[in-house]
Amino acid sequence: ALAPRCGWARTGPGQLLASAEGSAATARPLAAAASPAKKGAQGIKPKRKGKDKPCPRRRPLMTKPVDDVYLTWLYRRPVYGLEQAVGMLKRFQELDFTHPRQFVYINVFLDMALKKKKLDPFSGAVVLPHRFTEEVNKVLVFTENEQEAEIARESGAAIVGGVELIKWILEGEIQADFYVAVPAIIAKLIPLRNKLKQKFPSTRRNSLGPDIPKMVQLFRECHEYTVQDECVIKTRIARLDMPTEHIIANLKTVVHDICTFKPPPYDPIVRKLVIRSSTSEGLQLILDGILPQVVKVEEEKAEEKIADEEEEEEKRVQEPVS
């Protein structure tokens, strides 16, 4: 009577026979135990390749929102023309009631890993067409000629001297924003190479040469920028209350000078450009019309020149040493 209610089943003759056989099997204390199923080398079942969990598909970003309020991570970041972006920064300042003479900054993202050569972080100096600050850099001139020293002082150099300055610079008693030198004394300044690093006088940075007035004027009024975090340049270029055309001219001057650090056969190393003010968000710019145009003929000549130099180097290495 309790079997249907509790889920029991009546024991038939077949089930009684099976239970008898099971009890007989369990009554053999010396019988060998059944061998367990084989597993992997470490006792863990190997995973089947066919049952790997597929990677979730990322939802494609939408282009333009249709409402004033939206989730930014669902849409692609908008890009703006240079003149349009500068106008937006000026409107942001009026709406936010921030200082009208705040600085304008650019973040330049670089492609430092080229095909055959990786660029090292560098720093540059350029004279902007429209100055936005009254700051004057402190320039030190290395020369042992009394006449050249007098010319350097008249040109506005803050410190002028010869090898006697090496000790004071190494001990940190004398510091300057820029260091320039004449070719006659550069061999005696080798102890300062590790101390000055990128500021050591060199022809590549236009800080080594015979024209002292030109070098002093350049570095007293120049604008310096440096690669940070191996691939980003963050620098200010103007003030927000300057005319739009002046801001654009300064920006293009800095970007064109950055592009001079790339090897000749490669495209411009600038891959993304963002402009902002001190209190605004960053606006990504369209690079068309900002980057310098690359002439294909010059690229082909540069590639041929590099190939010829590599062939000459290989021949020089393969030649037996007599």
Side-chain angles (χ1 to χ4, degrees):
L2 297 176
R5 184 175 302 175
C6 298
W8 296 346
R10 291 185 178 181
T11 56
Q15 293 178 347
L16 291 175
L17 182 60
S19 62
E21 292 178 354
S23 61
T26 55
R28 298 172 57 194
L30 301 179
S35 60
K38 293 183 179 181
K39 297 182 180 180
Q42 299 180 356
I44 301 175
K45 293 183 179 180
K47 296 181 179 180
R48 296 182 181 179
K49 296 183 179 180
K51 293 185 178 181
D52 292 343
K53 188 176 180 180
C55 298
R57 296 182 61 183
R58 188 175 180 179
R59 183 177 179 180
L61 298 178
M62 293 176 281
T63 56
K64 188 177 181 180
V66 296
D67 201 351
D68 295 338
V69 180
Y70 58 93
L71 297 174
T72 57
W73 56 271
L74 289 177
Y75 296 88
R76 299 175 185 174
R77 185 173 183 177
V79 292
Y80 306 93
L82 180 53
E83 188 173 354
Q84 178 187 7
V86 174
M88 292 176 64
L89 294 181
K90 290 180 177 292
R91 288 197 296 271
F92 293 161
Q93 180 271 321
E94 296 175 357
L95 295 174
D96 297 338
F97 298 99
T98 55
H99 200 282
R101 285 182 54 81
Q102 58 185 294
F103 290 112
V104 177
Y105 297 83
I106 58 172
N107 296 348
V108 187
F109 298 85
L110 307 176
D111 182 12
M112 304 289 283
L114 303 177
K115 295 180 181 179
K116 297 182 180 180
K117 181 180 179 181
K118 181 179 180 181
L119 291 181
D120 297 326
F122 56 86
S123 62
V126 60
V127 177
L128 299 178
H130 306 283
R131 296 194 63 190
F132 59 92
T133 178
E134 299 298 331
E135 299 176 359
V136 178
N137 300 318
K138 186 178 180 180
V139 182
L140 185 148
V141 179
F142 289 106
T143 181
E144 293 180 329
N145 189 317
E146 292 296 334
Q147 185 177 359
E148 292 177 345
E150 186 63 27
I151 294 175
R153 295 188 187 94
E154 294 177 355
S155 301
I159 304 172
V160 182
V163 293
E164 69 276 3
L165 298 178
I166 295 178
K167 177 182 177 181
W168 303 106
I169 295 175
L170 291 176
E171 294 179 355
E173 297 293 336
I174 295 178
Q175 296 180 356
D177 298 322
F178 296 95
Y179 302 83
V180 301
V182 294
I185 197 177
I186 190 62
K188 301 178 182 179
L189 304 179
I190 300 301
L192 294 176
R193 186 179 294 275
N194 293 333
K195 178 69 175 181
L196 301 182
K197 297 181 180 179
Q198 295 184 357
K199 293 187 177 182
F200 188 80
S202 65
T203 54
R204 177 66 182 85
R205 290 175 51 86
N206 299 320
S207 57
L208 176 63
D211 195 345
I212 295 178
K214 181 179 179 181
M215 292 188 297
V216 173
Q217 182 181 3
L218 167 65
F219 290 105
R220 286 183 78 248
E221 302 177 356
C222 72
H223 176 72
E224 187 180 20
Y225 57 85
T226 306
V227 176
Q228 305 174 11
D229 301 329
E230 296 185 353
C231 63
V232 184
I233 295 177
K234 302 177 182 179
T235 182
R236 57 186 185 181
I237 59 169
R239 291 188 183 272
L240 195 57
D241 63 337
M242 294 173 58
T244 301
E245 55 271 15
H246 291 184
I247 299 176
I248 293 176
N250 285 359
L251 183 145
K252 289 185 177 181
T253 301
V254 174
V255 172
H256 286 202
D257 191 76
I258 293 172
C259 292
T260 60
F261 285 89
K262 77 173 184 65
Y266 299 100
D267 293 333
I269 57 178
V270 178
R271 60 182 180 87
K272 188 169 70 171
L273 182 60
V274 177
I275 187 172
R276 65 177 179 85
S277 65
S278 301
T279 59
S280 74
E281 61 179 297
L283 304 177
Q284 185 173 342
L285 300 177
I286 301 173
L287 296 179
D288 294 341
I290 299 178
L291 300 182
Q293 296 181 355
V294 180
V295 182
K296 296 298 181 181
V297 177
E298 295 181 358
E299 286 187 358
E300 294 176 358
K301 291 181 179 180
E303 290 178 357
E304 293 177 358
K305 184 178 180 180
I306 291 177
D308 295 340
E309 291 178 355
E310 291 178 354
E311 291 179 1
E312 292 179 0
E313 186 67 21
E314 291 179 358
K315 292 179 181 179
R316 194 179 301 109
V317 173
Q318 295 176 359
E319 288 180 357
V321 179
S322 57

